[in-house]
């Protein structure tokens, strides 16, 4: 049901890695859960609205105004690494191989 | 003062108001209870941290009372789940990925309670990011059920339920996305309340499934819940899904006259699939309702059979987006052993998240992906729409919906931890209230032959917190005080 291509592609989107020996158990658990979801197919939803999109209407949104953010002194206290007012990250460009997934 | 640690928030408030006890004595009593439990061979592991400065804060509260500047909750203790932010305190959501994180602000609910003088005494254990039904998926290890330490507390707010049920706190905040307050309350023998979606602000509650997340309250006395809700509820400009409700008169709860009230018992949550001993407690509770003049009736609500599927599509979909923020860049764990930014993300998240969180992020991204979206996410949201209609139709005719809180009594630690689907099915009785945004309360209604607690659940109409809490109070008066 979930082939390697799908598994790797969703893991890529999730920014997660599942190691070799765990992979089959992970796949089996996910397949079992997805299979259970089929219970929903028994419900006729033709021409049914979706609950998606319910919630706060655009008129109710708060005014878009600039407010003070946390001062740098506070940000520094919870940042794993913070230098010269920035969060440093490793280089963005890889070697073209697509990272560790492929 | 004898047995402070067994008293409810409202009893302690009465004693404090009369000057019969000090805040310091109260905090010391609960701390002692916590410390003596830690020395036992199998501690309950309800608290992740009992705050060192709680006694200092109690001294200040006593001074405020003497000076006449106290709030209505001055000096009263409350335990707080590890995903509800308190300024300058750690918050980890039971996860390795948030180790070392200290919150720069307080959640609105905590802030409102603290403005009235409440003292958060500690952070309670939970399933990682509130994803779990047993409190076993925590980086700190499982909490244990005070009724029997070989059994699970229920989850995800298992630590909150354990500290209340064991007298380590009179009252605790938990959080709900699919039953995470009611389920542990049921398993540990306390009351557990989930407000209507919007009654309490979600600001400062770490996001999991934003269309269902809601802070809830656990206590041994429904009046404690009413007191907390009366102070903490109402609109908050930091959460535009919060509602302008006024529950300030909720406390103290009055007894309810149940005569003539129609109560629906869903056929789908009362027969097949419900443990025999849980069924016996349900029948006992229904008999009590009948003796009070209420009219419980079995009603078929077929969509309740689909709620687990619906929930485990929608909640992970929202979680996969909400948990994208844990990337190792701004806060929390950071693994920089790789070669580039992509490796930073992957290594941090792979190391920082536990198995259940990984499964849910994966499921969420799967059901939202092109090719699967219509079959899963869109379908689930359509059925959610139908479910809301079905429940609202039932609640037009009936005042409340009565069901067990869990289809099974508490089970032994380790029983379901490797079988996620079996774990998910534990939630079948609670999640409909979250999907339909309704208020619900779990009531300690009996025990099994092994002495394990069994909870019954009353679900009410939108914003009828008063109704279900008054019904719970009526049961409380009968059970705890022998009042009929």
């Amino acid at each position: 049901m979930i082939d390697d291509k799908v598994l790797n592609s969703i893991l890529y989107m999730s920014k997660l890695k599942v190691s070799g020996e765990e992979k089959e158990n992970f796949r089996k658990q996910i397949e079992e859960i997805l299979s259970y979801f089929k219970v929903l197919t028994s419900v006729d939803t033709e021409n049914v609205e979706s609950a998606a999109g319910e919630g706060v209407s655009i008129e109710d949104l708060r005014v878009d105004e600039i407010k003070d953010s946390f001062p740098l002194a506070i940000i520094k206290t919870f940042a794993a690494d913070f230098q010269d007012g920035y969060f440093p990250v490793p280089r963005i460009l890889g070697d073209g191989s697509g990272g560790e997934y492929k | 003062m004898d047995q402070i640690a067994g008293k409810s928030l409202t009893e302690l408030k009465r004693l404090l108001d009369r000057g019969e006890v000090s805040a310091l004595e109260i905090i010391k009593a609960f701390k002692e209870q916590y410390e003596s439990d830690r020395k036992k061979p199998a501690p309950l592991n309800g608290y992740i941290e009992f705050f060192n400065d709680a006694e200092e804060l109690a001294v200040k509260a006593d001074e405020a009372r003497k000076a006449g500047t106290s709030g209505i909750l001055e000096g009263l203790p409350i335990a707080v789940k590890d995903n509800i932010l308190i300024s300058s305190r750690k918050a980890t959501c039971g996860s390795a990925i948030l180790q070392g994180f200290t919150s720069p602000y307080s959640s609105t609910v905590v802030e409102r309670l603290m403005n009235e003088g409440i003292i958060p005494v500690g952070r309670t254990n939970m399933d990682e990011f509130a994803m779990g039904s047993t409190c076993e998926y925590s980086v700190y290890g499982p909490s244990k059920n005070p009724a029997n330490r070989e059994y699970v507390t229920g989850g995800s707010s298992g630590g909150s339920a354990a500290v209340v049920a064991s007298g380590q706190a009179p009252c605790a905040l938990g959080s709900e996305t699919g039953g995470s307050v009611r389920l542990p309350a049921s398993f540990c023998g306390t009351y557990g309340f989930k407000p209507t979606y919007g009654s309490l602000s979600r600001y400062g509650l770490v996001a999991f499934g934003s269309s269902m997340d809601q802070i809830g309250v656990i206590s041994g006395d429904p009046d404690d819940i009413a007191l907390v809700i009366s102070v903490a509820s109402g609109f908050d400009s930091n959460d535009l899904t919060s509602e302008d409700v006024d529950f300030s008169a909720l406390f103290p709860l009055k007894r309810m006259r149940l005569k003539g009230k129609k109560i629906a018992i869903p056929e789908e949550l009362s027969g097949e699939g419900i443990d025999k001993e849980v069924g016996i407690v349900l029948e006992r509770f229904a008999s009590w309702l009948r003796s009070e003049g209420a009219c419980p009736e079995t009603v078929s609500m077929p969509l309740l059979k689909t709620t687990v599927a619906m929930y485990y599509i929608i909640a992970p979909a929202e979680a996969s987006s909400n948990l994208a923020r844990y990337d190792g860049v701004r806060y929390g764990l950071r693994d920089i052993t790789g070669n580039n930014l992509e490796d930073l993300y992957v290594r941090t998240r792979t190391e920082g998240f536990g198995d259940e969180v990984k499964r849910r992020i994966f499921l969420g991204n799967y059901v939202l992906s092109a090719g699967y979206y219509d079959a899963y996410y869109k379908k689930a949201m359509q059925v959610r729409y139908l479910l809301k209609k079905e429940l609202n139709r039932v609640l037009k005719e009936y005042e409340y919906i009565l069901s067990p809180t869990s289809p099974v009594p508490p089970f032994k630690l380790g029983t379901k931890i490797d079988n996620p689907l079996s774990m998910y099915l534990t939630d079948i009785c609670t999640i409909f209230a979250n999907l339909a945004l309704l208020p619900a309360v779990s009531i300690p209604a009996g025990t099994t032959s092994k002495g394990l607690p069994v909870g019954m659940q009353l679900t009410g109409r939108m914003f009828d917190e008063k109704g279900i809490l008054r019904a719970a109070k009526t049961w409380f008066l009968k059970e705890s005080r022998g009042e009929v």
Side-chain angles (χ1 to χ4, degrees):
Chain A
M1 194 174 165
I2 296 186
D3 59 26
D4 277 348
K5 193 179 163 203
V6 171
L7 187 73
N8 290 334
S9 142
I10 304 289
L11 283 172
Y12 175 74
M13 280 193 275
S14 305
K15 301 292 174 226
L16 290 171
K17 197 173 179 183
V18 178
S19 67
E21 62 268 30
E22 295 167 1
K23 217 170 196 171
E24 285 321 302
N25 191 37
F26 186 83
R27 190 200 312 260
K28 193 175 139 254
Q29 287 173 334
I30 296 290
E31 283 178 348
E32 197 184 4
I33 295 162
L34 290 174
S35 168
Y36 177 77
F37 290 165
K38 286 192 182 131
V39 67
L40 289 177
T41 58
S42 65
V43 185
D44 179 7
T45 50
E46 208 172 329
N47 303 319
V48 171
E49 285 182 51
S50 165
E54 287 181 1
V56 180
S57 68
I58 198 144
E59 293 82 31
D60 293 335
L61 294 176
R62 64 175 166 253
V63 183
D64 188 11
E65 57 187 5
I66 297 170
K67 289 184 178 174
D68 287 340
S69 185
F70 292 119
L72 290 184
I74 288 182
I75 292 172
K76 275 181 190 173
T77 63
F78 58 74
D81 193 2
F82 196 73
Q83 291 171 23
D84 304 326
Y86 295 95
F87 299 104
V89 293
R91 63 193 175 91
I92 291 171
L93 295 176
D95 57 7
S97 69
E100 296 187 337
Y101 303 96
K102 312 288 169 160
Chain B
M1 178 62 53
D2 291 337
Q3 291 179 331
I4 286 176
K7 296 197 185 308
S8 69
L9 202 66
T10 42
E11 284 172 311
L12 294 169
K13 175 173 162 51
R14 209 171 299 130
L15 294 171
L16 270 170
D17 289 347
R18 287 188 197 144
E20 292 176 21
V21 68
S22 70
L24 184 60
E25 285 173 302
I26 291 175
I27 300 292
K28 275 188 168 171
F30 285 103
K31 191 177 178 187
E32 239 175 69
Q33 197 75 5
Y34 158 69
E35 284 177 344
S36 85
D37 183 71
R38 281 184 75 194
K39 290 172 193 151
K40 290 184 177 164
L44 293 173
N45 198 26
Y47 282 109
I48 294 167
E49 178 189 7
F50 197 101
F51 299 138
N52 282 331
D53 59 352
E55 285 160 288
E56 267 172 57
L57 296 171
V59 170
K60 284 183 186 157
D62 285 330
E63 285 167 2
R65 279 188 176 263
K66 273 184 201 150
T69 56
S70 55
I72 58 170
L73 303 171
E74 198 72 50
L76 289 167
I78 195 163
V80 179
K81 188 175 178 180
D82 193 33
N83 63 347
I84 301 171
L85 303 182
I86 310 172
S87 181
S88 304
R89 304 282 192 195
K90 287 177 183 165
T92 69
C93 298
S95 179
I97 210 160
L98 272 171
Q99 290 304 306
F101 175 71
T102 299
S103 177
Y105 67 99
S106 285
S107 58
T108 298
V109 165
V110 165
E111 190 170 88
R112 286 179 179 174
L113 294 171
M114 287 180 75
N115 285 344
E116 288 297 338
I118 216 163
I119 301 175
V121 288
R123 298 183 290 131
T124 55
N125 198 14
M126 58 183 282
D127 285 298
E128 187 179 5
F129 284 102
M131 297 178 191
S133 310
T134 59
C135 203
E136 289 170 291
Y137 297 131
S138 165
V139 73
Y140 306 101
S143 290
K144 298 181 183 75
N145 194 316
N148 185 327
R149 294 175 190 233
E150 290 179 12
Y151 285 76
V152 299
T153 55
S156 64
S157 312
S160 290
V163 298
V164 170
S166 62
Q168 296 181 36
C171 184
L173 296 179
S175 72
E176 279 249 1
T177 306
S180 282
V181 162
R182 287 164 288 155
L183 192 62
S186 167
F187 279 13
C188 293
T190 67
Y191 291 82
F193 178 65
K194 180 201 95 72
T196 308
Y197 184 80
S199 286
L200 294 182
S201 167
R202 290 180 296 114
Y203 182 68
L205 166 65
V206 177
F208 160 17
S210 304
S211 75
M212 291 173 279
D213 289 344
Q214 192 71 182
I215 290 174
V217 189
I218 292 174
S219 174
D221 183 340
D223 260 323
D224 289 5
I225 295 169
L227 180 59
V228 168
I229 299 294
S230 69
V231 172
S233 57
F235 179 71
D236 171 19
S237 60
N238 285 321
D239 172 12
L240 293 179
T241 63
S242 65
E243 294 281 344
D244 189 15
V245 287
D246 181 6
F247 289 130
S248 56
L250 198 60
F251 174 80
L253 290 168
K254 292 192 186 93
R255 197 190 152 86
M256 172 173 272
R257 198 165 170 267
L258 288 157
K259 194 170 179 184
K261 294 210 182 290
K262 289 181 76 180
I263 295 167
I265 303 177
E267 194 183 321
E268 294 73 11
L269 302 180
S270 57
E272 198 189 333
I274 301 297
D275 176 89
K276 202 177 156 194
E277 291 202 272
V278 173
I280 292 169
V281 178
L282 172 63
E283 186 40 50
R284 178 177 171 246
F285 197 84
S287 296
W288 167 70
L289 288 169
R290 275 190 285 271
S291 73
E292 291 278 326
C295 311
E297 286 172 19
T298 303
V299 178
S300 178
M301 300 177 221
L303 289 177
L304 292 182
K305 282 184 179 167
T306 65
T307 53
V308 172
M310 228 184 296
Y311 176 84
Y312 280 95
I313 290 171
I314 296 166
E318 295 179 14
S320 65
S321 169
N322 277 326
L323 271 63
R325 72 191 69 180
Y326 304 104
D327 54 11
V329 175
R330 289 155 299 159
Y331 46 78
L333 192 73
R334 176 179 173 90
D335 185 332
I336 49 164
T337 55
N339 294 321
N340 54 35
L341 184 62
E342 189 70 16
D343 291 348
L344 169 72
Y345 294 154
V346 177
R347 291 184 181 206
T348 299
R349 290 164 63 83
T350 300
E351 191 188 333
F353 290 136
D355 290 346
E356 180 58 22
V357 174
K358 285 177 189 162
R359 271 191 292 274
R360 296 209 198 182
I361 291 172
F362 184 97
L363 276 172
N365 280 320
Y366 182 90
V367 300
L368 290 174
S369 299
Y372 304 107
Y373 178 90
D374 283 356
Y376 292 101
Y377 185 73
K378 187 180 170 194
K379 180 82 181 179
M381 290 302 273
Q382 285 173 315
V383 185
R384 184 180 188 184
Y385 178 82
L386 293 175
L387 175 77
K388 283 183 183 175
K389 270 178 69 173
E390 181 172 287
L391 291 169
N392 287 329
R393 178 182 53 77
V394 169
L395 284 167
K396 258 189 187 164
E397 191 182 343
Y398 295 86
E399 200 97 8
Y400 310 120
I401 296 170
L402 167 66
S403 70
T405 309
S406 163
V408 291
F411 41 88
K412 283 196 169 175
L413 287 154
T415 313
K416 299 190 181 200
I417 197 160
D418 294 322
N419 188 342
L421 183 57
S422 165
M423 183 80 88
Y424 297 172
L425 289 167
T426 315
D427 301 343
I428 193 159
C429 298
T430 49
I431 48 187
F432 73 88
N434 304 80
L435 287 162
L437 317 180
L438 302 169
V441 63
S442 178
I443 297 169
T447 51
T448 65
S449 53
K450 287 180 182 164
L452 296 164
V454 174
M456 287 298 127
Q457 172 179 257
L458 281 176
T459 304
R461 297 168 183 155
M462 292 274 283
F463 300 107
D464 187 21
E465 342 289 87
K466 188 175 166 185
I468 55 171
L469 286 174
R470 282 185 63 193
K473 168 86 180 262
T474 310
W475 171 264
F476 171 81
L477 289 173
K478 179 190 87 76
E479 285 290 285
S480 308
R481 310 260 169 88
E483 292 180 23
V484 287

